[in-house]
PDB file of all heavy atoms in Angstrom:
ATOM      1  N   ASN A 198      41.016-116.345 112.583  1.00 97.00           N
ATOM      2  CA  ASN A 198      42.223-117.012 113.091  1.00 97.00           C
ATOM      3  C   ASN A 198      42.550-116.660 114.504  1.00 97.00           C
ATOM      4  O   ASN A 198      43.280-117.414 115.166  1.00 97.00           O
ATOM      5  CB  ASN A 198      43.410-116.693 112.181  1.00 97.00           C
ATOM      6  CG  ASN A 198      43.370-117.507 110.921  1.00 97.00           C
ATOM      7  OD1 ASN A 198      43.876-118.636 110.880  1.00 97.00           O
ATOM      8  ND2 ASN A 198      42.748-116.986 109.879  1.00 97.00           N
ATOM      9  N   TYR A 199      42.059-115.530 114.952  1.00 97.00           N
ATOM     10  CA  TYR A 199      42.301-115.100 116.359  1.00 97.00           C
ATOM     11  C   TYR A 199      40.919-114.853 116.962  1.00 97.00           C
ATOM     12  O   TYR A 199      40.205-115.785 117.298  1.00 97.00           O
ATOM     13  CB  TYR A 199      43.208-113.873 116.407  1.00 97.00           C
ATOM     14  CG  TYR A 199      44.577-114.185 115.879  1.00 97.00           C
ATOM     15  CD1 TYR A 199      44.872-114.072 114.487  1.00 97.00           C
ATOM     16  CD2 TYR A 199      45.581-114.639 116.705  1.00 97.00           C
ATOM     17  CE1 TYR A 199      46.114-114.397 113.989  1.00 97.00           C
ATOM     18  CE2 TYR A 199      46.847-114.962 116.207  1.00 97.00           C
ATOM     19  CZ  TYR A 199      47.103-114.843 114.820  1.00 97.00           C
ATOM     20  OH  TYR A 199      48.329-115.164 114.340  1.00 97.00           O
ATOM     21  N   ASP A 200      40.532-113.574 117.082  1.00 97.00           N
ATOM     22  CA  ASP A 200      39.186-113.257 117.567  1.00 97.00           C
ATOM     23  C   ASP A 200      38.820-111.839 117.090  1.00 97.00           C
ATOM     24  O   ASP A 200      39.653-111.134 116.561  1.00 97.00           O
ATOM     25  CB  ASP A 200      39.094-113.379 119.073  1.00 97.00           C
ATOM     26  CG  ASP A 200      40.166-112.558 119.768  1.00 97.00           C
ATOM     27  OD1 ASP A 200      40.493-111.448 119.297  1.00 97.00           O
ATOM     28  OD2 ASP A 200      40.726-113.066 120.777  1.00 97.00           O
ATOM     29  N   GLN A 201      37.587-111.499 117.309  1.00 97.00           N
ATOM     30  CA  GLN A 201      37.067-110.220 116.768  1.00 97.00           C
ATOM     31  C   GLN A 201      37.797-109.020 117.381  1.00 97.00           C
ATOM     32  O   GLN A 201      38.125-108.053 116.690  1.00 97.00           O
ATOM     33  CB  GLN A 201      35.571-110.088 117.042  1.00 97.00           C
ATOM     34  CG  GLN A 201      34.876-108.975 116.242  1.00 97.00           C
ATOM     35  CD  GLN A 201      35.001-109.178 114.735  1.00 97.00           C
ATOM     36  OE1 GLN A 201      34.741-110.272 114.222  1.00 97.00           O
ATOM     37  NE2 GLN A 201      35.400-108.127 114.005  1.00 97.00           N
ATOM     38  N   GLN A 202      38.131-109.121 118.637  1.00 97.00           N
ATOM     39  CA  GLN A 202      38.788-108.018 119.327  1.00 97.00           C
ATOM     40  C   GLN A 202      40.177-107.764 118.685  1.00 97.00           C
ATOM     41  O   GLN A 202      40.527-106.610 118.419  1.00 97.00           O
ATOM     42  CB  GLN A 202      38.966-108.403 120.804  1.00 97.00           C
ATOM     43  CG  GLN A 202      39.366-107.238 121.674  1.00 97.00           C
ATOM     44  CD  GLN A 202      39.910-107.723 123.020  1.00 97.00           C
ATOM     45  OE1 GLN A 202      40.109-108.930 123.242  1.00 97.00           O
ATOM     46  NE2 GLN A 202      40.132-106.789 123.915  1.00 97.00           N
ATOM     47  N   THR A 203      40.913-108.813 118.406  1.00 97.00           N
ATOM     48  CA  THR A 203      42.202-108.689 117.770  1.00 97.00           C
ATOM     49  C   THR A 203      42.043-108.040 116.391  1.00 97.00           C
ATOM     50  O   THR A 203      42.770-107.127 116.038  1.00 97.00           O
ATOM     51  CB  THR A 203      42.890-110.078 117.631  1.00 97.00           C
ATOM     52  OG1 THR A 203      42.921-110.679 118.927  1.00 97.00           O
ATOM     53  CG2 THR A 203      44.301-109.965 117.069  1.00 97.00           C
ATOM     54  N   ALA A 204      41.065-108.517 115.655  1.00 97.00           N
ATOM     55  CA  ALA A 204      40.815-107.995 114.308  1.00 97.00           C
ATOM     56  C   ALA A 204      40.451-106.523 114.343  1.00 97.00           C
ATOM     57  O   ALA A 204      40.939-105.743 113.527  1.00 97.00           O
ATOM     58  CB  ALA A 204      39.688-108.796 113.637  1.00 97.00           C
ATOM     59  N   ASP A 205      39.648-106.144 115.313  1.00 97.00           N
ATOM     60  CA  ASP A 205      39.161-104.759 115.376  1.00 97.00           C
ATOM     61  C   ASP A 205      40.278-103.786 115.747  1.00 97.00           C
ATOM     62  O   ASP A 205      40.184-102.611 115.422  1.00 97.00           O
ATOM     63  CB  ASP A 205      38.013-104.640 116.375  1.00 97.00           C
ATOM     64  CG  ASP A 205      36.732-105.250 115.840  1.00 97.00           C
ATOM     65  OD1 ASP A 205      36.623-105.420 114.624  1.00 97.00           O
ATOM     66  OD2 ASP A 205      35.829-105.554 116.652  1.00 97.00           O
ATOM     67  N   GLN A 206      41.306-104.260 116.428  1.00 97.00           N
ATOM     68  CA  GLN A 206      42.354-103.307 116.848  1.00 97.00           C
ATOM     69  C   GLN A 206      43.506-103.180 115.858  1.00 97.00           C
ATOM     70  O   GLN A 206      44.359-102.313 116.028  1.00 97.00           O
ATOM     71  CB  GLN A 206      42.836-103.640 118.288  1.00 97.00           C
ATOM     72  CG  GLN A 206      43.529-104.953 118.482  1.00 97.00           C
ATOM     73  CD  GLN A 206      45.009-104.937 118.144  1.00 97.00           C
ATOM     74  OE1 GLN A 206      45.686-103.924 118.293  1.00 97.00           O
ATOM     75  NE2 GLN A 206      45.550-106.044 117.668  1.00 97.00           N
ATOM     76  N   VAL A 207      43.511-103.987 114.813  1.00 98.00           N
ATOM     77  CA  VAL A 207      44.595-103.908 113.830  1.00 98.00           C
ATOM     78  C   VAL A 207      44.407-102.729 112.874  1.00 98.00           C
ATOM     79  O   VAL A 207      43.350-102.590 112.273  1.00 98.00           O
ATOM     80  CB  VAL A 207      44.754-105.222 113.028  1.00 98.00           C
ATOM     81  CG1 VAL A 207      45.840-105.089 111.951  1.00 98.00           C
ATOM     82  CG2 VAL A 207      45.065-106.354 113.934  1.00 98.00           C
TER      83      VAL A 207
END
Side-chain angles (χ1 to χ4, degrees):
N198 281 274
Y199 296 88
D200 53 39
Q201 195 60 48
Q202 192 196 9
T203 306
D205 286 341
Q206 64 84 31
V207 176

